[in-house]
Amino acid sequence: MTVRVPAKVNLQLGVGPLRDDGYHDLVNVFHAVSLFDEVTAEPAGRLEVRVEAALDARVDVGGVPADDDNLAARAARLVAARLGVEPRVALRIRKAIPVAGGMAGGSADAAAALVACARLWDDPGEPALDRDDLVELGAEIGSDVPFAVLGGTAVGVGRGERLTSALTRGTFHWVFATAGFGLSTPAVYAECDRLRELRGEPAPQPSVSEELMTALATGDAKGLGAALTNDLEEAALSLRPSLGRVLDAGRELGAIGALVSGSGPTCAFLAGTEEDADGLARALDGAGVAAQVHRASGPVPGATVV
């Protein structure tokens, strides 16, 4: 059973106060884009994980765990426990989503494993697990996993795991510039808290941007570009100032919107048209400001059996 699953970009990431459980209240507008990993689940004598780069994909999978530390393995165990079976499965993960880039590649793989293992082990005539059940299981793994199951465009609140689909018209065209280094998500959140405390600035309670929702509902790329926001961007730039040069380069080369994706370090650029995105990707690649440059469009569906 093979499942294809997309990367995500955060169109809005509003970070609220730090909660007693160590998480922050979030408003997270997720948008699934056409960079895909594939996870194949096959019967095996025990749980196994193999990770490789997808054909023609320029991704380095050397740092991706190929054991129980991989979120896909945890997903397989959760499905097995819910269905009352042993997690005897070989998971083959083929990656094209940038690794450690703030595009939720690990969460995407977990979502794909949820869907693949449910199809592999569940009763096809009377399945015990539907998509809502898989979304619920995904929330036990991580805040980004439920969205990777669903895809499209959605607003996440709480830790980001409580999702509502967002009306989106048309197709938006993206260019992603990856870095040659990673950024720790906990470190970026901690830096966000530190910078706010340094300024004596209380963390606001985040709310969904009306301008962003209107741009999505009307298919207005220029309006969407103007409404992109990420409360973690300042912290990511504080930890890695070189990302500022990447954002500046993208804007100078014609992007109509630019932001750090999630906790970084990937920078996301919105283009007006497909042709504009092609030109921007070539120009960014030639400028030498990024380790790699990727083209994508969105929204696209979530984890899908292929």
Side-chain angles (χ1 to χ4, degrees):
M1 189 64 61
T2 297
V3 173
R4 187 175 74 165
V5 64
K8 61 84 181 168
V9 60
N10 303 92
L11 308 180
Q12 177 189 355
L13 180 49
V15 179
L18 183 65
R19 307 187 320 198
D20 291 341
D21 62 4
Y23 291 98
H24 294 75
D25 283 319
L26 301 178
V27 165
N28 209 337
V29 181
F30 297 102
H31 184 71
V33 296
S34 59
L35 294 172
F36 299 101
D37 284 359
E38 284 189 354
V39 176
T40 298
E42 296 179 327
R46 59 183 177 85
L47 178 56
E48 305 170 8
V49 178
R50 185 172 70 177
V51 183
E52 59 192 45
L55 189 64
D56 298 328
R58 297 183 300 165
V59 295
D60 180 5
V61 300
V64 180
D67 55 22
D68 275 1
D69 288 336
N70 193 295
L71 294 181
R74 184 176 177 195
R77 292 189 185 281
L78 282 175
V79 173
R82 182 66 68 92
L83 295 176
V85 301
E86 291 296 320
R88 294 174 179 151
V89 64
L91 299 174
R92 180 187 179 197
I93 302 172
R94 293 177 293 278
K95 296 198 65 65
I97 300 173
V99 175
M103 301 187 74
S107 295
D109 297 341
L114 288 172
V115 174
C117 290
R119 282 294 191 97
L120 191 67
W121 295 325
D122 211 347
D123 182 347
E126 194 174 342
L129 295 175
D130 60 18
R131 192 153 288 246
D132 288 343
D133 295 317
L134 297 179
V135 167
E136 178 188 332
L137 287 176
E140 296 184 34
I141 302 170
S143 301
D144 291 339
V145 180
F147 175 71
V149 174
L150 295 176
T153 305
V155 178
V157 296
R159 291 185 289 113
E161 82 285 4
R162 301 202 306 272
L163 297 171
T164 304
S165 294
L167 175 62
T168 306
R169 286 194 170 88
T171 299
F172 296 99
H173 301 282
W174 297 90
V175 176
F176 297 97
T178 65
F181 52 83
L183 271 175
S184 159
T185 297
V188 175
Y189 274 96
E191 180 69 359
C192 176
D193 293 336
R194 187 189 73 83
L195 292 172
R196 285 172 169 173
E197 185 177 355
L198 192 64
R199 292 192 295 264
E201 175 185 295
Q205 196 64 40
S207 59
V208 179
S209 164
E210 293 184 9
E211 294 81 6
L212 186 78
M213 291 295 104
T214 299
L216 288 169
T218 58
D220 178 5
K222 187 174 181 181
L224 179 61
L228 298 173
T229 57
N230 180 1
D231 285 355
L232 293 180
E233 183 169 290
E234 181 189 19
L237 294 176
S238 174
L239 295 173
R240 290 288 188 171
S242 61
L243 294 177
R245 294 192 291 275
V246 183
L247 292 173
D248 290 343
R251 294 185 181 104
E252 291 166 5
L253 292 169
I256 59 175
L259 81 172
V260 173
S261 180
S263 59
T266 296
C267 294
F269 301 99
L270 181 64
T273 66
E274 184 176 1
E275 293 75 17
D276 292 341
D278 288 338
L280 176 59
R282 288 193 298 270
L284 273 172
D285 207 17
V289 295
Q292 293 178 0
V293 177
H294 303 266
R295 272 275 292 109
S297 59
V300 296
T304 303
V305 175
V306 296

